[in-house]
Amino acid sequence: MYEEDIKVLIKKGYWVTCRPVKKKWEILIYERKSAEWIKRKRKLFTHPAVAYDWAINYLEPLVT
């Protein structure tokens, strides 16, 4: 993800994070509800690039 993408997501109320969990990568998508961030979606992948690609495809219809 590029910096511009991250700024757009934050303006629209979404935050994406990816972290290693054992031998996989966990991607979490948070949605801003009032003053707190709520987990919207969680998924495991074998590579972080694949995880971010999935997140972009998942969020694209929500932010456009």
Side-chain angles (χ1 to χ4, degrees):
M1 266 189 204
Y2 296 103
E3 185 177 351
E4 300 86 35
D5 298 332
I6 294 168
K7 287 179 181 178
V8 168
L9 288 174
I10 291 173
K11 278 186 181 179
K12 298 284 185 172
Y14 295 98
W15 179 257
V16 178
T17 183
C18 188
R19 66 185 181 128
V21 176
K22 297 184 183 179
K23 293 189 178 198
K24 296 201 175 202
W25 289 85
E26 177 186 50
I27 192 137
L28 291 157
I29 298 175
Y30 293 92
E31 185 175 9
R32 188 166 182 90
K33 296 284 185 181
S34 300
E36 55 188 48
W37 292 91
I38 307 293
K39 280 186 206 174
R40 181 179 177 106
K41 194 77 171 173
R42 174 190 174 271
K43 202 162 181 178
L44 293 173
F45 292 90
T46 56
H47 196 275
V50 177
Y52 276 113
D53 287 342
W54 173 85
I56 290 168
N57 290 333
Y58 178 82
L59 288 168
E60 189 172 21
L62 299 174
V63 296
T64 54

